[in-house]
Amino acid sequence: MTSVQIADTHFRRQFLFQLLTILQHLLTHTKAAKQAATKAGSKPLHIPEFTLEPTDAQWVQETQLKCIEELKQTAPNGRLFADSVTTVLERERSWVRWKNEQCMPFDKAPWSEEIVVDIGDGETGGDGADDGKLTRKVGFEDATRKKRTEIMADPDEWEHKFGTAPLTEIWEMGYRDLADLQRPFQ
C-alpha cells in the first residue's frame, strides 16, 4: 500500500475493519469452534474444510488485538470507532451462531400475572374458603394499573416552602438577597 493510502484515516479504518472481519471468520476454523458448532444439537450450515492450527489461531488473535489497538489510535474518535467495530463483530458472531443453530426462535411469551379479584358476592361456587374471590390472568397494563395510578397522583405539598428548612427559615426572617445576609442582626 502506498503511504498516501495508509495516511488516509478513512481508508485505514475500512481496511482494518475488513481485516478484522476476515480474522473473525478464520477463528471459526479452529478445532474447538468446529466442535462447538456440531455440539449445538443440529448440523451447522457450514463446516470449514480445513482446521486452523493452534499456532495460527494464536497469530489470528494477536493480529485482532493489534488491529483493534490501531483503530483506537486512529483519530478522530478512535476509541469510539473501535468500540463500535467490536460491537458489530460480536453481533455478527452471534448471528452466525444463531444461523448455525438453524435459526431457533427467541420469542418470549408476553408478560402476565395471576391476580385475585374480589367479586364481592360469593358467586365462585367454591367450598366457602374463597367466597367472593376469583383468580385470573392479566397482562402488564392491568397488573400495574394500581401502582401507576399511585405514581401519577399529585405529591403531597412539600413542608419546606423554599426547598430546605434552613432556606425557608432565612426567608421567613426577612432576608431576601446576599446583601441582607452580609449584615446579620440589623
Side-chain angles (χ1 to χ4, degrees):
M1 285 192 224
T2 66
S3 59
V4 174
Q5 288 175 318
I6 294 296
D8 181 15
T9 57
H10 297 292
F11 176 81
R12 189 178 329 141
R13 283 180 171 178
Q14 285 295 324
F15 178 79
L16 290 171
F17 183 55
Q18 290 175 10
L19 181 61
L20 282 167
T21 304
I22 291 169
L23 292 172
Q24 177 171 302
H25 176 71
L26 282 175
L27 285 177
T28 63
H29 291 44
T30 62
K31 190 175 186 177
K34 286 182 179 182
Q35 288 174 349
T38 57
K39 192 187 297 183
S42 60
K43 184 180 178 218
L45 298 174
H46 172 70
I47 297 178
E49 296 175 9
F50 70 94
T51 302
L52 206 60
E53 296 297 323
T55 55
D56 294 333
Q58 179 67 30
W59 177 85
V60 168
Q61 291 173 343
E62 290 171 1
T63 306
Q64 278 183 321
L65 292 175
K66 288 177 186 176
C67 288
I68 290 176
E69 191 56 40
E70 183 64 31
L71 281 175
K72 287 180 182 178
Q73 301 302 321
T74 303
N77 302 323
R79 289 195 182 280
L80 178 64
F81 186 77
D83 290 343
S84 299
V85 166
T86 305
T87 301
V88 167
L89 291 173
E90 179 61 36
R91 288 184 179 179
E92 174 71 14
R93 193 171 16 256
S94 296
W95 183 83
V96 168
R97 184 180 63 246
W98 178 69
K99 290 297 276 185
N100 282 337
E101 294 172 354
Q102 305 297 317
C103 306
M104 299 302 290
F106 50 89
D107 296 336
K108 292 183 178 180
W111 187 89
S112 65
E113 182 178 85
E114 286 191 6
I115 61 170
V116 176
V117 180
D118 185 10
I119 57 175
D121 57 0
E123 292 182 9
T124 57
D127 58 5
D130 290 331
D131 283 343
K133 307 263 188 231
L134 178 68
T135 302
R136 68 181 179 124
K137 209 172 207 180
V138 295
F140 182 77
E141 187 172 335
D142 290 333
T144 59
R145 181 171 283 123
K146 181 179 176 185
K147 187 66 175 175
R148 286 183 292 114
T149 304
E150 291 173 8
I151 290 172
M152 292 171 46
D154 290 335
D156 296 335
E157 188 171 325
W158 186 247
E159 63 180 302
H160 307 294
K161 186 175 180 180
F162 297 100
T164 64
L167 287 175
T168 304
E169 182 182 353
I170 288 170
W171 186 265
E172 289 172 352
M173 290 171 60
Y175 297 113
R176 298 294 182 258
D177 60 17
L178 291 176
D180 292 343
L181 292 173
Q182 291 173 349
R183 295 175 276 129
F185 308 115
Q186 288 186 5

